[in-house]
Each structure stands twice: as C-alpha cells, then as structure tokens.
Amino acid sequence: MEKYVYIALFAPLLSSLFVALFATRPKILFMGILASLLIGASMISSFILLFYVNAHGALHVKMMDWISAGNLEIPFGFVVDQVSVIMMVTVTFVSTIIHVYSIGYMDHDKSFNRFFSYLSAFVFSMLILVMSDNFVGLFIGWEGVGLCSWLLIGFWYHKPSAAWAANEAFIMNRIADLGMLMGLFLIYWQIGSFQYDIVFASIKFLDISIVTTIGIFLFIGAMGKSAQFPLHTWLADAMEGPTPVSALIHAATMVTAGVYLVIRCGDIYSLIPHIGFAIASLGAFVAVFAASMALVNNDLKRIIAYSTLSQLGYMFVAAGLGAYWIALFHLMTHAFFKSLLFLGAGNVMHAMHDELNIKKMGGLYGSMKATAILMSVASVALAGIYPFAGFFSKDMILEVAFNEGAYFLWFALFIGAGMTAFYSFRLVMLVFFGEKEHTKYGIHPHEAQPFVIYALMPLGLLAVIAGFFEHAFRGFVTKLLTNYDIQIAHGTEVLLIAATLGIAISGISFAIYMYSRGGFSKTLENRFCYKLLINQYFIPKLYELYIMKPFGAISNFLWQKIDVKIIDFSVDMVAKILYTSGEKSRKMQSGNLSDMLRWMVVGIVILLAVAIFYRPIV
C-alpha cells in the first residue's frame, strides 16, 4: 500500500515540475492532458487507500528522517487515516474534474502551460497538508497552498486588480499564520514533539490555560485560511483569478484547510469547550454575515464566493460544538456542489465574453440548457432541499446547535438557510431566465464544449446523491473522530427539519416570484441597508482608512526620515570618506622618485617616534 501513498502524493508534484519545463512556451495541449492524467492517478490511488483504510485501519508511512536537531526529531512521514483519506479523495476527485475542465477553459490563454503547473502544485501542497503525520509537515503544506493561491489569484498579473488581490490574500494569510506559528512553538515548548500521536496523547496533561492558548493560536491560523471574520475580505477579491482557480480554492483546497485543522485537532478542542463555543459563535455570525452580502451583490463569482464564506461558518459551528464528523461531512458535500457552481459560472463567463454582472445576463437558459440545469442542481443542493446533498449535512449542523442548547446559534443558522436559498435562486433567475438583457450589449451566448459539460456531470450526480452516504460516512470516520450523536426527540427533530426545509423553500419561492416579475424596485438601491450590504458593511473601507493608510503613512515616514536621511546618509558618508581618502592618497603613488623618497623619510620618522615614545605596560 505504501506505493499508493507515494503515487497519491507525488503524482501532482511530478505533473507540476514536468509542465513547468514548458511554462514559457506557447500552448501545448498535451501538457493539460498529462496534468489531468497524473491528477487522475492520484485520485485512483486515493480511492484505493480509502478502501484499504476501511478494511485494515490507518496506514503510517515514514519516508525518511527529515529534521534532527538536539531533541527535535521530525520524520518525513504521512498518515492515511479516516480523516486524511476522506480529504485526499475529496481533493483529488474535485481537482481531476477541474483539471479536465481547465483544458477547455484556458484553451486560448497564452500561459496555458504555466497555469497547469501552478494548478498541480496547488493540489500537491494540499495533499502534503492533509497527509502529514506532524504539525511541521502540515505547516509546509499550509504555506504551500498560500504560495500557490498567490500565484493563481494573480495569474493574470498584468491586471492591477489581480496583482492587488493576490497580495491581499497572501499578506492577510501571513498575518494569521503568525498566530499558528505561535501555537506550534507552544506545542513544542510544552510537549517536545510535533507528531500528532504524541501531541494528542500528551495534551490532556497540560495546564488548561496552556491548552486554551494553543487552541486560540491554532484557530487564528484557521481564521486566515478559511477567511473567517475579520480576516475575510481576501476571499471575495480572490475572484480575480481564473474561474477554475476559484473552484479549487473554494471547494477542495485553501479555505477547507482551516476546517481540517480544527477537525484534526479535535483532541485539543474537546478539552477547551469554551473556545469551541467561541469558534461556533463566530461561525454562526459569519454564516449570516456572508449570506447577507450575497443577497444584493451583482457579481456572479462574488455571490458564489460569499456563499462559500457562509458555508464555512456552518462547518465551524459543527466543529466548534464537537460534531467533527458532521463538519467533515458538510465539507465533503459542499465541495461537490460548490465546485459545480463555480465551473458552471465559468461557462457563463465564456458565453458572456467575461461579463460578470448578472443584471446584464438573463434568458441564457435557451442557449445554455446543460449549464443551467447543472447550476440549478448545485443551487438546490446549496439551499439544502431534500434529497440533495446539502440537505443532509446542513440540516445536521442546525440540529447540533439545537441539541447543544445553543438556540441563538440555531436561529442564526436558520435565518442563514433562508438567505442562502434566496440568493442562490436570485442568481439562477437573473442569469438563466427573465429578459435577455445581454442582447443590449450585442452578446450571442453559446454552450460550453461537450467534454466540459461531461466533465461536470459527476459533480452534478454527487450534488444529488452524496447525502445518502451519511451512515456509511459516519461509520467510517467515527472510528477516529468522536461519534457525536444528536439526542433530540423524534417529534422535535421532524419539526426542526420541516422548519429548515420550509424557510429554504420559502427563500427559493420568493426569489422565483420576485425575479419573474422583474425584481425589486430600483429605489431599493438608495436605501441605507442596501448600501451597507453592497459595500460589504464598509469593512474594506475601514481597513483602508484605519489600517492601510496609517501603515502607509508610517512606512513613508520611516523611508524618508529614517531610511534615507539617517541609514542611507550614514552608509553614503562612509563611502564618501573612503572615496575621498583614496583620492587624496592616490598622490602618494605618483611614480616620481623624489616624492617616493620623501614619503619614505616621513614613514621612518613616524616609526622612530613610535619606538621612542611607546612604552608597553608590564
């Protein structure tokens, strides 16, 4: 089985390095095909490992000794257990489809080869993150996905907006990663190891205040990767990258890393339930906060991005309340319908000549039936309608909140479910139905290439049926994770399900009703509430006024007053003195015999003076 671990892990790396050799050359279609095949090999190996772990339990592989310094011993090792193998299968399955899709999507891009090199590197970094058996390996993968996200968000670096968005994502994650590093340093200081098995076995013997501090620091890192408030602004701006990148970031890599970290560290957070509740509270806030911004946004990709942010909030509620297997289940089901939404949005963008404003679309169903059906299926799953995948995982998260007596959190998630249903079908109605607004701009939309549609069909199928694997999934992952059981009376449970379904169906019906009649009045755009939401609660503006501009002013002052006038002046003065003294001393080397004799006499006089007047201290 060890060979399948190496194939699953290193096939994406091989893909990235080989394609990188041709990165600067014009498009070579074979590079996209080869990259897709290698990611497919990683996927097949991951499925083989899934069946092995199900039959025989976790697989530990030590490739080699890695870091050995004093008492610090870190092997280059991997663990394929019930949690990591689910992540491996999810990451590689979604990534394979995205690679195949990208062959068509990036067909006319001059940097076709470079794109596939970066994309495969992204998958490799995520696999390092989830497969490592220690925190240092996890952190290497953690930084790897950060680097790859910077490369891919800023892929079209000639666009100032793309370069800015890439830098924003990179810098904001570096801020959060400082917290994670502090947590890792504290773990080693207190336990003396980074190995998961040693850390999780020893953590319960530490003082609760130390465990609390470790939990807080690790979650700060998770906040950055999973874009939780207040480190959330980079996620919507990351839509500047190519659409397959958005699908990969939101469905299988990057933002799911924070949720994975909390799930993996369940043994730590189970000891500090007060911190877990704080995580859940923040998640519930983000679920509503992000959904509210999606209600009014008109950017196709940003609406889907805000839905990701909202769904991450749901995952953190489950994880924070100790229902780790439910959080992982929602992570998996969400990956299927969210990647389908983004890739469908990519089809729409191509058909609309890269137009993103949904109010300039309308009536695309007639030209793009397959894409419309697939995106509608994904939207129903996102809204949480039975029997689609999102219903099973999302509904259980609401039940967890109710089961724990966190009724305020349940109510927030309940309202978020209604908002999700509304904005999902607001998007569907404005894009695919209603008046053909695109005709005003001379756009003639067309369906994507057949192989692109075929590539999306497995995601559409899983968006429908994945929820039915709930019991098998639970039985598998709870061999490692806590078997959280919801203790709610059957009658109450039925009422909760009915209420959640009711508000979701109401949200869908209201969206269909309003946008089949032309939508809301334009006077709504003058309301303060609308302006607050469309401007993201003015948080980016506040960051600009109170963080970016003061930091820029301080940096400018330090540059002009300290760097230029003191540091540069001092360095330049030393150079000037040496240069001037050299110029003056050059006269000594005139080559004139008389001058040379005179300098010899001067030297003799100086040596004699030193010999006469110098008395060593005995």
Side-chain angles (χ1 to χ4, degrees):
M1 281 297 118
E2 189 172 327
K3 66 179 179 181
Y4 293 111
V5 175
Y6 295 144
I7 292 171
L9 179 62
F10 292 113
L13 177 63
L14 176 62
S15 168
S16 177
L17 294 177
F18 183 80
V19 176
L21 298 175
F22 305 90
T24 58
R25 297 190 181 183
K27 174 196 167 186
I28 303 173
L29 180 61
F30 177 70
M31 294 297 107
I33 296 171
L34 178 66
S36 302
L37 289 173
L38 286 169
I39 299 298
S42 178
M43 177 190 69
I44 292 169
S45 296
S46 297
F47 273 104
I48 291 171
L49 291 168
L50 172 67
F51 295 125
Y52 176 85
V53 172
N54 186 45
H56 301 96
L59 176 65
H60 294 264
V61 174
K62 179 181 176 182
M63 186 174 175
M64 61 182 180
D65 291 323
W66 183 23
I67 299 174
S68 180
N71 294 327
L72 178 62
E73 296 286 344
I74 304 176
F76 198 66
F78 309 99
V79 58
V80 181
D81 57 20
Q82 287 79 4
V83 171
S84 60
V85 79
I86 288 292
M87 290 296 296
M88 290 166 62
V89 167
T90 304
V91 170
T92 55
F93 178 79
V94 173
S95 298
T96 300
I97 291 174
I98 291 173
H99 273 70
V100 174
Y101 174 92
S102 298
I103 296 173
Y105 188 87
M106 300 299 290
D107 184 50
H108 301 295
D109 197 286
K110 64 179 182 181
S111 298
F112 181 90
N113 303 339
R114 178 167 63 92
F115 177 81
F116 278 95
S117 177
Y118 291 170
L119 204 65
S120 297
F122 208 167
V123 179
F124 169 70
S125 298
M126 189 64 185
L127 289 174
I128 283 282
L129 191 158
V130 301
M131 293 175 67
S132 179
D133 66 356
N134 62 82
F135 282 103
V136 175
L138 178 143
F139 190 73
I140 296 297
W142 193 270
E143 295 304 302
V145 294
L147 171 63
C148 293
S149 70
W150 179 75
L151 293 170
L152 286 164
I153 294 169
F155 183 76
W156 292 316
Y157 53 83
H158 54 276
K159 293 169 54 181
S161 57
W164 192 92
N167 289 334
E168 179 191 19
F170 192 79
I171 292 168
M172 196 164 282
N173 273 276
R174 299 293 74 70
I175 294 169
D177 289 353
L178 177 61
M180 185 175 177
L181 272 175
M182 295 296 292
L184 298 187
F185 290 152
L186 196 53
I187 285 172
Y188 182 72
W189 182 29
Q190 294 294 320
I191 297 176
S193 176
F194 288 115
Q195 294 297 117
Y196 290 152
D197 51 356
I198 297 174
V199 171
F200 297 148
S202 306
I203 196 78
K204 58 180 175 286
F205 300 112
L206 299 183
D207 187 89
I208 195 65
S209 62
I210 298 294
V211 180
T212 300
T213 306
I214 290 172
I216 292 171
F217 277 137
L218 291 179
F219 183 65
I220 290 172
M223 286 171 65
K225 277 289 179 287
S226 295
Q228 295 297 283
F229 179 87
L231 303 175
H232 66 282
T233 55
W234 70 266
L235 190 62
D237 293 334
M239 297 302 98
E240 289 290 339
T243 302
V245 174
S246 303
L248 195 59
I249 288 176
H250 287 247
T253 62
M254 192 71 171
V255 298
T256 60
V259 180
Y260 169 77
L261 176 66
V262 175
I263 293 170
R264 175 58 76 183
C265 295
D267 289 327
I268 296 176
Y269 288 104
S270 62
L271 300 173
I272 44 175
H274 55 296
I275 298 301
F277 186 78
I279 292 171
S281 300
L282 179 63
F285 167 75
V286 170
V288 177
F289 172 73
S292 66
M293 292 187 285
L295 292 175
V296 300
N297 206 284
N298 297 319
D299 186 297
L300 176 62
K301 288 174 67 176
R302 281 177 177 262
I303 294 170
I304 305 173
Y306 285 131
S307 82
T308 298
L309 188 53
S310 180
Q311 296 308 303
L312 287 167
Y314 280 84
M315 296 175 208
F316 277 117
V317 170
L321 295 177
Y324 301 111
W325 78 265
I326 297 175
L328 186 62
F329 188 50
H330 192 50
L331 185 156
M332 184 187 73
T333 59
H334 173 264
F336 302 139
F337 56 75
K338 185 51 56 68
S339 55
L340 181 57
L341 275 174
F342 267 115
L343 299 181
N347 290 352
V348 173
M349 285 177 63
H350 266 197
M352 291 294 296
H353 302 172
D354 290 334
E355 177 60 60
L356 284 167
N357 190 337
I358 58 176
K359 289 192 172 181
K360 294 182 179 180
M361 299 179 187
L364 293 182
Y365 179 80
S367 307
M368 307 181 69
K369 287 186 175 65
T371 297
I373 292 169
L374 288 168
M375 288 193 71
S376 297
V377 166
S379 297
V380 173
L382 174 60
I385 303 299
Y386 182 87
F388 292 77
F391 164 80
F392 294 89
S393 54
K394 187 192 286 186
D395 186 75
M396 281 193 293
I397 294 173
L398 275 89
E399 290 183 26
V400 167
F402 195 90
N403 185 63
E404 292 294 320
Y407 302 121
F408 185 77
L409 299 188
W410 174 85
F411 183 72
L413 298 180
F414 178 74
I415 297 300
M419 290 180 173
T420 301
F422 176 81
Y423 69 67
S424 297
F425 276 82
R426 172 179 177 263
L427 183 151
V428 170
M429 292 299 295
L430 285 173
V431 172
F432 295 110
F433 301 99
E435 295 294 325
K436 295 183 178 181
E437 297 292 334
H438 58 272
T439 56
K440 300 175 183 177
Y441 306 95
I443 297 174
H444 303 285
H446 56 85
E447 186 58 275
Q449 301 174 58
F451 85 89
V452 170
I453 298 299
Y454 294 142
L456 299 185
M457 286 183 177
L459 292 174
L461 178 63
L462 286 169
V464 176
I465 69 169
F468 291 106
F469 294 100
E470 172 196 337
H471 296 296
F473 182 92
R474 178 179 184 173
F476 178 69
V477 299
T478 52
K479 293 175 183 176
L480 179 66
L481 299 177
T482 303
N483 187 9
Y484 186 94
D485 193 20
I486 299 171
Q487 302 290 334
I488 299 177
H490 180 69
T492 305
E493 185 178 12
V494 171
L495 285 175
L496 290 175
I497 294 172
T500 307
L501 273 174
I503 196 169
I505 293 170
S506 298
I508 292 172
S509 302
F510 185 51
I512 293 173
Y513 172 76
M514 288 303 301
Y515 289 99
S516 61
R517 296 165 57 90
F520 292 91
S521 169
K522 287 192 175 182
T523 57
L524 179 67
E525 297 179 8
N526 297 321
R527 303 278 178 87
F528 173 75
C529 216
Y530 179 87
K531 291 180 179 178
L532 188 68
L533 296 178
I534 201 70
N535 288 289
Q536 304 174 58
Y537 293 90
F538 298 101
I539 291 173
K541 191 68 176 176
L542 291 172
Y543 284 176
E544 182 182 353
L545 289 175
Y546 296 107
I547 297 178
M548 294 167 61
K549 285 188 175 179
F551 185 80
I554 292 170
S555 300
N556 192 55
F557 171 80
L558 293 174
W559 167 51
Q560 292 185 344
K561 304 298 183 183
I562 307 297
D563 196 17
V564 173
K565 292 193 174 181
I566 297 178
I567 297 175
D568 285 358
F569 176 78
S570 302
V571 173
D572 292 344
M573 183 59 67
V574 171
K576 188 174 181 181
I577 291 170
L578 291 174
Y579 182 80
T580 304
S581 63
E583 282 288 311
K584 299 294 185 182
S585 302
R586 188 181 299 172
K587 296 177 182 178
M588 297 170 61
Q589 303 295 328
S590 64
N592 185 288
L593 183 59
S594 299
D595 290 341
M596 301 298 285
L597 289 171
R598 290 191 188 95
W599 283 114
M600 287 176 63
V601 172
V602 170
I604 291 170
V605 170
I606 292 172
L607 288 173
L608 287 171
V610 170
I612 292 170
F613 295 105
Y614 174 71
R615 293 288 187 273
I617 299 173
V618 179

